[in-house]
Amino acid sequence: EMNLRGINLSGMSLKSAKLVGTNMSNTICLFTFFQGSQMTNANFRNAELDAANFSNCVMHNADLRGVKMRPVEIKGDAASNHKQWRPNFSGAALKDADLSGAYISGADFRGAELDGVIVDKATFHGCAFDEGIDRLLLQKGAAFEEPRMAVAV
């Protein structure tokens, strides 16, 4: 178990890393790539995770309380050069993860395992979910800001 509390990990590639039980609370992870990492019991409490990519990560029992995740827009010199990078949890295993009090905007949760996830007072804005998942999260105490983007697989 590593302690990376409060470190700026922005732009780093930690793909397929073994981060089980790692303390990453209060970290800044702007454009950080975690794809395929093992992160069971990892602590991201109050971290800034704008445009972070957690696709296909195993994050069982992860502590994501109070995290902030937003898309980041890169503006080029012409309208056609604008690019928006969105937080990504597609295909991630978030079983029993705690997202209480999190603010998550524009994230992709399609194909994610969300069994037992805790979302009390979590706010989702413009996130993409498999069909019906947003309703389930609403029943568990999550709030949704428009637009909702529930998408069938």
Side-chain angles (χ1 to χ4, degrees):
E1 295 182 10
M2 286 186 288
N3 185 0
L4 301 175
R5 185 180 196 279
I7 293 177
N8 187 338
L9 300 171
S10 295
M12 292 188 72
S13 178
L14 299 169
K15 294 177 182 178
S16 301
K18 304 284 187 243
L19 299 168
V20 174
T22 299
N23 180 4
M24 289 180 263
S25 61
N26 299 300
T27 55
I28 300 171
C29 296
L30 174 67
F31 290 113
T32 305
F33 300 96
F34 295 102
Q35 294 100 312
S37 292
Q38 301 294 318
M39 305 172 96
T40 295
N41 296 317
N43 178 359
F44 281 94
R45 192 168 190 177
N46 299 317
E48 298 282 337
L49 304 172
D50 294 347
N53 192 329
F54 293 96
S55 67
N56 300 310
C57 287
V58 176
M59 301 179 76
H60 296 173
N61 299 308
D63 185 350
L64 296 155
R65 290 177 288 173
V67 300
K68 293 190 177 35
M69 298 186 80
R70 297 163 291 238
V72 174
E73 187 170 341
I74 306 296
K75 295 186 179 188
D77 53 0
S80 62
N81 292 337
H82 291 212
K83 173 91 174 147
Q84 188 177 61
W85 296 85
R86 301 164 75 80
N88 189 356
F89 281 104
S90 62
L94 290 158
K95 184 177 185 200
D96 300 322
D98 192 345
L99 292 145
S100 298
Y103 180 81
I104 303 173
S105 178
D108 185 354
F109 284 92
R110 291 174 288 185
E113 175 192 1
L114 298 170
D115 296 338
V117 71
I118 302 165
V119 291
D120 187 49
K121 296 186 172 92
T123 302
F124 296 90
H125 174 83
C127 295
F129 297 95
D130 293 330
E131 188 173 341
I133 297 298
D134 57 340
R135 289 188 298 276
L136 177 67
L137 297 178
L138 193 60
Q139 292 171 354
K140 291 182 165 208
F144 286 85
E145 295 176 349
E146 295 302 326
R148 277 199 219 181
M149 294 173 54
V151 177
V153 182

